[in-house]
Amino acid sequence: MKIHCGKSYPQLPPTVYFKTRVNLPFVDQKFGLVDPNGFPLLGKLWSEDLSIATILNKLKEEMIKYKKN
């Protein structure tokens, strides 16, 4: 996984990539980019009060959820 925090972080969310292939609907299968439209914590729900740990925990929850399906 790669997390890039740009110059405007924390006002704007980081960009998150998976470096290995994961089967999640909000991750681009070719480039591993987490799509903010499919993972709202990096999109419309982003707040500068959120942390990298919060993002990682939510990704973990989503991975567990999709693994069960």
Side-chain angles (χ1 to χ4, degrees), residues 3-15:
I3 299 173
H4 175 75
C5 299
K7 293 179 182 180
S8 298
Y9 177 82
Q11 291 78 26
L12 295 177
T15 305

Side-chain angles (χ1 to χ4, degrees), residues 29-46:
Q29 292 300 301
K30 186 172 183 181
F31 300 107
L33 177 65
V34 176
D35 181 1
N37 294 316
F39 189 71
L41 197 62
L42 293 176
K44 64 183 177 184
L45 297 180
W46 177 254

Side-chain angles (χ1 to χ4, degrees), residues 23-58:
N23 190 20
L24 295 169
F26 52 84
V27 177
D28 179 84
Q29 292 300 301
K30 186 172 183 181
F31 300 107
L33 177 65
V34 176
D35 181 1
N37 294 316
F39 189 71
L41 197 62
L42 293 176
K44 64 183 177 184
L45 297 180
W46 177 254
S47 163
E48 62 184 67
D49 296 328
L50 296 175
S51 67
I52 300 297
T54 304
I55 294 168
L56 294 173
N57 284 326
K58 184 63 175 172

